Amino acid sequence: MATVLVASNRGPVSYVLGDDGSLDARRGGGGLVSGLSAVSAQESLWVCAALGEGDREAVRRGIGEPGVRMLEIAPEVYADAYNGIANSVLWFLHHHLYDVPREPVFDAGFRRRWESYRAYNRAFAEALAAEADHGAAVLVQDYHLALVPGQLRALRPDLRIAHFTHTPWASPAYLRMLPDDIREELLAGMLGADQLGFHTREWASAFTECAAPAGPGRSRVEVYPLGVDADELRSLAHRPEVDEKLARLRDEVGDRRTIVRVDRTELSKNILRGLLAYRELLTTRPEWHDRVVHLASAYPSRQDLAVYRAYTTAVSDLAEEINAEFGTPDWQPVLVSVQDDFPRSLAAYRLADVALVNPVRDGMNLVAKEIPVVSESGCALVLSTGAGAYDELKDDALTVNPFDVSQTAEALHTALSMPPADRTDRTKRLAATATALPPQRWFLNQLDALRS
Ligand code: G6P
């Protein structure tokens, strides 16, 4: 039995099934993994979903990490809950991504998928109820598991339950698109928690406004802006494999300036408008020709969804167009990497003169916090108002409206031209702010508040 439990869709480890039947464990990084390391492994349990064939096979063979329990959920139920509801409905609502003349459509198919979402949440609630010690603290993560707090409260009224939303929260107008009964179920699920956490005040107030019609509940709404662990990040960024990638990038870039971005190929990250801004910069400011390279890591995400596949293709196509339009035999203006290559991303961080982070809407965006910590010669941050990180970093960043391509192009020019002393000072302050609440503190602060 555990006294501290974490629940999330994606866990800290995943298994890859080899052709020869072998299982290879891959450990993930990220804020939650470092956060939970603040608690001893004996007292904690991380409940997550078995995501693919490899994970399912590991569950069947009884293979696993201590302190991690993977839930095997029927593949059709999982697909409907994860792709059909979490990523196609809740993600779209919270990020305001719908193309409203056509979407969303809440029909019988949607209601069937919602039942799967409910069942998938229930599987988590039941596992947590079975594993939690009396009075244990349970920290539920993200929009995949919005119903868990209410379901778990009904099963185990003795528990202390927290929920943390890593995305933005939809504005009331957006949330009202949901059918009334479903919206009420969603809010009641969340309000089953004692404590509801968000990365920014803006997302927390959006939730409070949305929940107001449900009346005053038991939940405290709090803001915990996740930051980065400078020592851990710097040591990762100086591993030999990163040094190798850096050497290769240096060869490609030469003595040109770099504009760096790193994202999942995610609709909300606004990669296309970022590329359009770079194109406009090269058009309006020809003095940058052959003097700058845009290093864009856009690693594929959620490729089961057609709209994500199309977006990934559009990103590669636009990068190619820009290279065809401006490139010369000696200069490729955009270098895109569409692989999940963390060492390359870290190498790009180290080389960054300018970081471009321009999401239309984003819960936090840790890239905006990581680059200033790792960049070697100080980097100017072009940051959109849509990023959660905007709230903390705006004073030392060049801030832009994510929809305004011309403004973004001008900000790139200003960033590239920033005097070195100014750039260094800003980078120092950005790094200090970015590391103000590192993952372990972020996690323990929530745990302390939940227990008090
Ligand atoms: C966002 C969500 C996380 C999610 C991550 C990657 O950051 O808040 O919960 O794990 O995206 O998305 P994926 O669908 O691959 O887990």
Side-chain angles (χ1 to χ4, degrees):
M1 301 292 260
T3 55
V4 178
L5 297 95
V6 165
S8 65
N9 173 62
R10 192 176 283 281
V13 61
S14 66
Y15 295 88
V16 181
L17 182 61
D19 292 338
D20 57 353
S22 60
L23 280 177
D24 182 18
R26 306 261 162 96
R27 272 160 208 85
L32 260 186
V33 176
S34 1
L36 192 61
S37 69
V39 182
S40 86
Q42 289 81 30
E43 56 169 342
S44 68
L45 180 73
W46 190 327
V47 178
C48 56
L51 297 184
E53 219 11 74
D55 286 2
R56 282 199 204 94
E57 191 53 35
V59 175
R60 273 177 230 134
R61 292 188 202 168
I63 293 172
E65 302 267 308
V68 178
R69 176 162 167 208
M70 277 189 174
L71 301 181
E72 207 183 351
I73 291 157
E76 326 74 69
V77 173
Y78 183 75
D80 280 350
Y82 172 72
N83 285 321
I85 299 295
N87 289 341
S88 299
V89 176
L90 298 178
W91 182 273
F92 274 64
L93 287 172
H94 290 324
H95 291 85
H96 297 183
L97 289 176
Y98 279 125
D99 174 13
V100 172
R102 295 170 199 283
E103 303 165 317
V105 176
F106 295 128
D107 57 3
F110 160 74
R111 286 194 177 261
R112 251 193 333 271
R113 291 188 285 278
W114 184 263
E115 276 174 33
S116 293
Y117 179 76
R118 192 187 288 140
Y120 152 87
N121 273 248
R122 177 157 288 279
F124 273 83
E126 285 169 358
L128 292 164
E131 303 276 5
D133 228 336
H134 185 81
V138 183
L139 295 103
V140 181
Q141 309 298 312
D142 238 352
Y143 60 101
H144 311 91
L145 302 177
L147 303 181
V148 168
Q151 294 170 336
L152 184 57
R153 166 85 45 218
L155 294 169
R156 289 285 305 271
D158 60 299
L159 300 178
R160 304 278 178 115
I161 306 171
H163 184 282
F164 196 92
T165 299
H166 293 268
T167 62
W169 188 269
S171 69
Y174 248 79
L175 206 73
R176 271 198 299 273
M177 289 180 185
L178 276 176
D180 293 350
D181 58 323
I182 303 282
R183 187 179 61 252
E184 280 156 21
E185 185 181 348
L186 179 72
L187 290 168
M190 293 282 289
L191 292 168
D194 299 291
Q195 183 174 302
L196 291 166
F198 296 87
H199 284 305
T200 71
R201 278 168 299 180
E202 193 180 344
W203 313 143
S205 339
F207 176 83
T208 308
E209 265 183 78
C210 287
R218 59 179 309 137
S219 323
R220 287 192 309 269
V221 176
E222 289 177 357
V223 177
Y224 296 95
L226 177 63
V228 302
D229 179 333
D231 292 340
E232 188 189 329
L233 188 63
R234 287 194 189 115
S235 87
L236 282 174
H238 287 86
R239 293 199 343 197
E241 66 264 35
V242 179
D243 289 338
E244 267 168 46
K245 302 266 177 183
L246 182 61
R248 222 171 305 156
L249 280 181
R250 279 214 168 99
D251 275 350
E252 288 176 272
V253 170
D255 58 2
R256 301 179 185 93
R257 301 281 171 84
T258 57
I259 299 174
V260 170
R261 75 173 305 141
V262 175
D263 316 85
R264 292 183 295 111
T265 50
E266 161 55 52
L267 314 178
S268 61
K269 302 293 183 189
N270 207 22
I271 305 171
L272 290 175
R273 286 193 195 84
L275 286 170
L276 291 174
Y278 182 61
R279 177 158 84 185
E280 193 159 310
L281 170 81
L282 297 179
T283 307
T284 56
R285 304 270 183 180
E287 68 265 33
W288 288 113
H289 288 197
D290 204 17
R291 287 180 54 218
V292 62
V293 174
H294 186 11
L295 298 173
S297 295
Y299 51 94
S301 179
R302 302 183 189 163
Q303 297 293 297
D304 289 341
L305 300 179
V307 58
Y308 278 73
R309 288 197 299 276
Y311 190 73
T312 308
T313 310
V315 166
S316 302
D317 289 353
L318 182 52
E320 254 175 58
E321 265 177 49
I322 295 172
N323 283 332
E325 190 177 343
F326 299 98
T328 65
D330 303 324
W331 173 53
Q332 194 177 331
V334 193
L335 294 179
V336 189
S337 159
V338 285
Q339 276 138 39
D340 188 354
D341 185 346
F342 192 50
R344 183 193 189 271
S345 301
L346 287 172
Y349 283 7
R350 283 173 60 183
L351 205 56
D353 294 306
V354 175
L356 174 58
V357 180
N358 66 324
V360 290
R361 206 173 154 86
D362 203 341
M364 170 52 79
N365 198 302
L366 284 180
V367 173
K369 291 187 166 182
E370 289 168 350
I371 299 188
V373 171
V374 172
S375 85
E376 287 183 354
S377 48
C379 86
L381 174 64
V382 175
L383 180 66
S384 72
T385 53
Y390 170 83
D391 200 32
E392 292 167 275
L393 302 181
K394 56 180 177 300
D395 292 345
D396 293 301
L398 299 165
T399 60
V400 296
N401 166 349
F403 304 97
D404 190 340
V405 167
S406 301
Q407 186 193 29
T408 308
E410 247 337 88
L412 288 175
H413 171 70
T414 310
L416 287 166
S417 326
M418 191 180 282
D422 188 11
R423 210 169 87 159
T424 311
D425 288 351
R426 284 177 187 246
T427 307
K428 278 194 194 133
R429 288 193 298 264
L430 287 168
T433 311
T435 51
L437 190 60
Q440 298 210 352
R441 271 270 50 94
W442 173 82
F443 188 83
L444 287 177
N445 286 359
Q446 291 177 69
L447 190 58
D448 290 348
L450 184 60
R451 284 170 161 166
S452 67

